[in-house]
Amino acid sequence: MKSPLLTLPGAVSAEGVDEGVAAHYGDLFREQRALADGTGFVDLSHRGVVTVTGEDRLAWLHLLLTQHVSDLPVGRATEALILSANGHIEHALYLVDDGEMVWVHVEPGTQEALIAYLESMKFFYRVEVADRTADIAVVYLPAGSIAEVPEGVVVRETPHGRDLFLPRAGLEDYAAQAGPPAGILAHEALRVEQHRPRLGFETDHRTIPHELGWIGSAVHLQKGCYRGQETVARVQNLGKPPRRLVFLHLDGSEVHLPVAGTELRLADDGPDGRKVGFLTTSARHHELGPVALALVKRNVAVDAPLMAGDTAAAQEVVVEP
């Protein structure tokens, strides 16, 4: 869904999964600095929005999600996953309950598959699931923002900022008074800095939650059964995940930023060394320079210098080996 904010001065459309919103508005680093200072907003209106209503909504979702939500307090933000039977990540949900319904935003284009799964699991529960993407737009306000929120708009507040579930018809009016716009590239650079994984970026068809540090924040280890729980419990109690998420400082002298999917090798092994991982997201940060998130094999030494293609990379631990 193409955002009307792409008509704002300087707007350049994003590509790939984020197509439909602005990549930037002409000055990537200025936009990042504004967000870091708690000003401005990010148009995330391309994300899918799903609501769940009915008196059984929390008890029902509790059975399906990796997170403990049966007694989720009104207004408290949380995140959760839906796993396959083998424990691989299929969906990531960012949710809040307003006392009458649960509001969820998800990755662009994934809402239809999510809704299909939820509908197949309704059975006798008193719940209704709706796709609200056409009439609700997600807008992000950074941590520290003092921008006003229109009356009646549902807010999902986290340590990283606030997600607004804004009526899509009011998006342009809100943008006019919410401060300077920042594009998705600025939002992504700060996400990488904060080591926060994203479905479809840090995940592939075999990713399990332990690899990305989603245990705790999105996976509750003491809740009841859900699909894929056996894998989660087995890895938590008896083993280690095969891969781990790392944060990389990339060589700033390189003109080109290595792209997602770039293979990682040990620097000491040279260009013909064996593959030990791959980049998942790379970004140019306003203070740190070129940075990235990556998945590496668990047994890679935490202080081992790496090469991302032809670019030198130094690790910071995100998930302990």
Side-chain angles (χ1 to χ4, degrees):
M1 188 170 294
K2 187 175 181 179
S3 172
L5 302 190
L6 285 172
T7 61
L8 292 178
V12 174
S13 181
E15 299 178 347
V17 71
D18 289 321
E19 184 180 3
V21 297
H24 60 82
Y25 295 88
D27 193 335
L28 172 62
F29 291 151
R30 177 190 59 78
E31 294 165 29
Q32 284 186 40
R33 287 191 292 269
L35 293 179
D37 290 340
T39 60
F41 71 95
V42 180
D43 175 14
L44 299 179
S45 61
H46 62 319
R47 291 185 65 81
V49 177
V50 176
T51 57
V52 182
T53 55
E55 58 187 283
D56 293 338
R57 64 189 183 280
L58 291 177
W60 176 66
L61 286 171
H62 185 79
L63 298 174
L64 305 178
L65 306 182
T66 57
Q67 187 58 273
H68 196 301
V69 298
S70 60
D71 53 0
L72 184 67
V74 172
R76 179 179 295 176
T78 192
E79 55 189 81
L81 308 175
I82 290 178
L83 307 180
S84 71
N86 293 322
H88 301 138
I89 299 169
E90 292 190 343
H91 293 282
L93 293 73
Y94 301 86
L95 60 148
V96 65
D97 184 79
D98 69 359
E100 295 182 355
M101 69 176 65
V102 175
W103 294 78
V104 182
H105 68 79
V106 296
E107 288 298 324
T110 66
Q111 67 272 16
E112 291 185 4
L114 171 63
I115 290 171
Y117 172 70
L118 294 177
E119 288 286 352
S120 73
M121 301 300 290
K122 283 172 66 172
F123 302 118
F124 55 84
Y125 288 93
R126 293 163 293 185
V127 293
E128 293 297 330
V129 181
D131 185 348
R132 301 294 302 277
T133 309
D135 64 296
I136 299 293
V138 179
V139 171
Y140 167 81
L141 299 178
S145 171
I146 59 172
E148 293 187 7
V149 177
E151 185 176 355
V153 168
V154 175
V155 177
R156 181 180 175 273
E157 187 161 1
T158 77
H160 305 292
R162 290 177 288 170
D163 300 330
L164 277 54
F165 291 88
L166 189 75
R168 191 172 289 274
L171 181 58
E172 290 180 276
D173 288 341
Y174 185 75
Q177 57 89 33
I184 193 72
L185 291 181
H187 188 266
E188 282 291 278
L190 298 184
R191 177 182 72 81
V192 171
E193 177 197 12
Q194 295 157 358
H195 306 168
R196 293 187 289 126
R198 184 177 172 189
L199 183 78
F201 287 65
E202 279 62 59
T203 67
D204 58 21
H205 66 284
R206 57 192 181 97
T207 306
I208 60 176
H210 309 72
E211 296 177 320
L212 303 184
W214 255 329
I215 301 299
S217 63
V219 179
H220 195 287
L221 294 175
Q222 277 75 52
K223 63 157 290 189
C225 292
Y226 55 87
R227 190 172 70 175
Q229 184 191 29
E230 293 85 355
T231 298
V232 170
R234 183 169 63 251
V235 174
Q236 184 69 23
N237 297 322
L238 301 176
K240 295 283 187 178
R243 304 176 297 183
R244 58 184 179 86
L245 186 68
V246 296
F247 177 77
L248 298 178
H249 293 272
L250 302 173
D251 182 0
S253 66
E254 296 289 340
V255 175
H256 300 290
L257 189 67
V259 300
T262 299
E263 294 185 351
L264 293 173
R265 290 175 169 78
L266 297 176
D268 292 344
D269 289 350
D272 296 325
R274 65 186 177 89
K275 175 184 173 183
V276 297
F278 59 94
L279 252 61
T280 57
T281 305
S282 58
R284 296 191 185 275
H285 191 274
H286 70 287
E287 289 184 338
L288 301 176
V291 294
L293 294 175
L295 278 174
V296 300
K297 294 181 178 179
R298 180 173 54 86
N299 60 1
V300 172
V302 297
D303 58 351
L306 303 176
M307 295 295 295
D310 296 328
T311 303
Q315 302 179 62
E316 280 188 20
V317 174
V318 177
V319 174
E320 293 289 341

